[in-house]
Amino acid sequence: MSIPGLGQLAPEPTASDNKVITLQPYWEWRFSVTRRASVTVRLLSGTADRDGTELALNRAYKFTDTKSKIYTLQGCTLEITGSCESHVAQYPTPEASPLLTYINMHFALQEERRRAESAGRGVQGPRVLICGPANSGKTSLARKLVGWATRMGSQPLVANLDPAEGLLSLPGTVSAAVYGTLMDVEESACGFGLGSTPSSGPSAVPVKVPVVYYYGREKVEDDVPHWKDLTRKLASSVRAKLNKDKDVRASGAIIDTPGFESGKEGLDLLAFAINEFSVNIVIVLGSSQMGDDLQRRLAEEKTPLGEPIIVVPLERSDGVAERDEQFTRTIRDAAIKEYFFGDAKRTLSPSTQSVSFDDVAIFKAPDESEAYEGQPVLEAAEISAEMSHWTLAVMNASVNDPPETIRQAPVIGFIAIADVDEDRRRLKVLSPTSGRLGNQPLVWGRWPEPYINLLG
Ligand SMILES: Nc1ncnc2c1ncn2[C@@H]1O[C@H](COP(=O)(O)OP(=O)(O)OP(=O)(O)O)[C@@H](O)[C@H]1O
């Protein structure tokens, strides 16, 4: 058990310049670098990880707009250059750190994967769903379990059901991808961000190919039926992949979820996802109440493959950082910008095109208040200046398809509306590739609202 606050050195408000720190095994260097500041970390000796991905010795890693930690299992020395809030979390023994339980979880999952592999005959590895209240460290744990698994040669499928944070995609989506290779330590999202996708052009780490569905809202509660439809679709593509590829099948899946509370609605939505993804292991972070409720609810249930569903409550790390609206908006805006323009490591050249209102088919999701059963799922949008700076999803469907088909189609990519000239009835459109906008329908969601002018 780690007791919040115990064994922590007092935070250093803004440590700057150059310093060298030594971490004992299982200690963490926790840092928060915001407002476009940056900090550079170099591993001088020992071993160190960020969320399951190892830092290379003597390589400089630069972090911007990131709240995270570097931990060590064997001890290490780090050189830190730059300004950020940071402190070292010390643990007297490994047992005092929640990290040990996460690692034990990883080894238990590896054992399941080994069993699935040797059993063959279509036996699937563990399908693990990670849930808990908001800010309990779900995504960080998902990244660790994925990073550790890939380092041992596994290729888990990773799915994200939280539209507030895109996995290899823009916010407002749910997505899934196979992870079989190295993750990017420097990325704010540490391997779960856009830097690892092919749509961003050449990549420093091997690219992942996600399947993406567009939700266009922030919270599941904003349009539960639509979220359920997309979760069902995503689960179906995950199932297809697990059936098709024996290495992925043996590795199983890791599913990250939005922060749900332990009320009936949250439990119902979790139970829905658990059923759709044939989950057989549910990790509950930071809520014994939710752990108990799920245990009770799933005690008699079996997966469609006939396995029992095991609920594993795990402790939340007291290091999980609060992220205010300003920080999350900065991260979101940076993701949208990176999608079109790349980042410091690789610059992309998006194309700008001028298109007539008559040459595009834009559909609009209903407003929040209308998002209930019986309402039109998508309507043809009236193009106006209101659309300026919004990012629209390009759907893998035909403009003549029924609205429901368009809404549930996979996403091919995104475009941004740079300008709307109502007088000339022309749109200036920013697109990651230079091809003409084809016959694909575009969907204008309700979130995230644009805060930046991409061409400004
Ligand atoms: N031990 C830690 N030390 C420092 N920062 C941490 C630690 N664990 C997690 N964080 C950071 O805290 C923030 C929240 O963590 P994370 O995203 O994993 O939580 P979450 O439960 O998935 O959140 P949400 O409910 O919003 O999806 C992230 O910026 C993450 O990098």
Side-chain angles (χ1 to χ4, degrees), residues 340-394:
F340 292 102
F341 294 99
D343 58 17
K345 285 190 235 163
R346 61 196 168 261
T347 311
L348 303 175
S349 312
S351 81
T352 20
Q353 310 173 28
S354 169
V355 287
S356 158
F357 285 12
D358 302 323
D359 291 342
V360 282
I362 303 182
F363 296 85
K364 174 177 172 278
D367 290 331
E368 210 167 303
S369 56
E370 299 169 321
Y372 56 83
E373 273 175 73
Q375 294 299 303
V377 293
L378 282 181
E379 307 160 303
E382 207 169 294
I383 303 178
S384 72
E386 206 199 322
M387 224 174 244
S388 298
H389 312 308
W390 278 84
T391 305
L392 275 47
V394 185

Side-chain angles (χ1 to χ4, degrees), residues 12-293:
E12 297 160 19
T14 311
S16 68
D17 306 321
N18 203 321
K19 64 174 180 173
V20 171
I21 58 168
T22 299
L23 303 182
Q24 301 295 325
Y26 284 83
W27 288 14
E28 296 176 6
W29 179 67
R30 296 176 179 167
F31 64 99
S32 164
V33 45
T34 53
R35 297 201 175 87
R36 309 213 176 277
S38 70
V39 68
T40 302
V41 179
R42 193 188 295 272
L43 174 67
L44 299 180
S45 66
T47 60
D49 285 21
R50 180 174 169 223
D51 283 352
T53 302
E54 228 178 339
L55 273 65
L57 211 56
N58 278 319
R59 200 192 128 178
Y61 292 96
K62 189 172 176 189
F63 299 102
T64 45
D65 290 321
T66 304
K67 295 188 181 206
S68 187
K69 80 279 185 187
I70 309 264
Y71 61 84
T72 176
L73 299 181
Q74 277 131 15
C76 72
T77 308
L78 301 174
E79 180 194 66
I80 293 150
T81 313
S83 295
C84 72
E85 277 188 22
S86 69
H87 69 271
V88 174
Q90 299 179 331
Y91 294 98
T93 60
E95 290 73 24
S97 157
L99 198 56
L100 186 66
T101 54
Y102 302 162
I103 289 174
N104 288 340
M105 186 73 220
H106 157 69
F107 282 112
L109 296 178
Q110 272 319 110
E111 181 54 25
E112 291 295 305
R113 293 181 180 119
R114 196 198 53 74
R115 263 194 227 136
E117 194 175 2
S118 44
R121 299 188 318 274
V123 175
Q124 293 190 3
R127 281 89 56 214
V128 184
L129 179 133
I130 304 177
C131 62
N135 246 30
S136 50
K138 299 175 295 296
T139 307
S140 304
L141 178 60
R143 283 197 291 251
K144 286 189 193 77
L145 294 177
V146 174
W148 290 328
T150 55
R151 275 158 71 176
M152 295 185 77
S154 297
Q155 297 185 37
L157 237 156
V158 185
N160 173 45
L161 302 181
D162 183 1
E165 288 174 28
L167 166 81
L168 304 173
S169 176
L170 292 183
T173 58
V174 294
S175 54
V178 172
Y179 274 71
T181 50
L182 194 69
M183 286 150 74
D184 187 347
V185 172
E186 268 174 331
E187 229 182 36
S188 180
C190 194
F192 277 19
L194 281 161
S196 311
T197 63
S199 52
S200 305
S203 171
V205 292
V207 295
K208 279 104 193 157
V209 186
V211 47
V212 178
Y213 290 97
Y214 186 56
Y215 179 61
R217 296 180 198 273
E218 179 181 14
K219 297 194 178 88
V220 174
E221 307 82 67
D222 292 343
D223 192 349
V224 171
H226 188 30
W227 180 82
K228 282 187 163 179
D229 285 341
L230 298 186
T231 297
R232 199 178 288 121
K233 285 261 170 188
L234 199 64
S236 152
S237 20
V238 164
R239 254 194 319 275
K241 187 71 188 168
L242 291 175
N243 286 335
K244 208 168 106 197
D245 185 318
K246 75 175 178 27
D247 294 331
V248 178
R249 183 161 61 236
S251 302
I254 293 178
I255 301 138
D256 190 11
T257 60
F260 287 126
E261 290 308 318
S262 190
K264 176 160 178 348
E265 195 184 358
L267 292 181
D268 284 351
L269 293 168
L270 284 171
F272 175 80
I274 288 165
N275 181 47
E276 286 298 324
F277 283 89
S278 308
V279 166
N280 66 333
I281 299 177
V282 180
I283 297 179
V284 187
L285 266 179
S287 169
S288 49
Q289 175 73 52
M290 185 182 279
D292 291 348
D293 290 348

